[in-house]
Amino acid sequence: MSNKSLTLHLINKQLKVWIDSTWFTIGPLIASTCAMSGCHDATTKASGVNLSTYTNIVRYVTAGNATGSTLYTITKSGSMPRGTVAKYTTAQLTQ
């Protein structure tokens, strides 16, 4: 557990649980479809966006309003992921 997770846990236990469960759900998905070479990895940072770490990903997620978050609206619209990477399914978008 990182220090940030511990701090969130002490401040708001529900937020910590939400963050952990969401991270374990979307973390691998983002890593395999967005944070890869040539896209939103730490080196390429396409459009200035780096999605290679939890800290960077949560910048694009609106707590308490997941469907209003930047990450959700961009992926739901189908504009991301690009290229040969498959678009997210409805099930993936609503996890």
Side-chain angles (χ1 to χ4, degrees):
M1 184 181 319
S2 72
N3 287 340
K4 287 184 180 182
S5 292
L6 180 58
T7 302
L8 289 172
H9 177 72
L10 295 173
I11 293 171
N12 186 332
K13 193 172 187 175
Q14 288 181 326
L15 178 61
K16 165 74 169 70
V17 171
W18 178 85
I19 288 171
D20 282 351
S21 64
T22 302
W23 173 246
F24 289 113
T25 302
I26 69 166
L29 185 62
I30 298 295
S32 66
T33 60
C34 307
M36 51 195 196
S37 180
C39 292
H40 300 292
D41 63 326
T43 302
T44 308
K45 300 177 195 169
S47 298
V49 177
N50 174 1
L51 297 175
S52 64
T53 67
Y54 167 81
T55 301
N56 291 341
I57 291 170
V58 296
R59 291 178 182 158
Y60 302 95
V61 176
T62 306
N65 185 15
T67 58
S69 71
T70 302
L71 189 61
Y72 178 84
T73 56
I74 288 173
T75 54
K76 181 161 177 49
S77 74
S79 64
M80 291 287 167
R82 290 187 180 160
T84 58
V85 177
K87 302 296 182 199
Y88 293 153
T89 65
T90 300
Q92 289 171 318
L93 287 168
T94 57
Q95 290 182 9

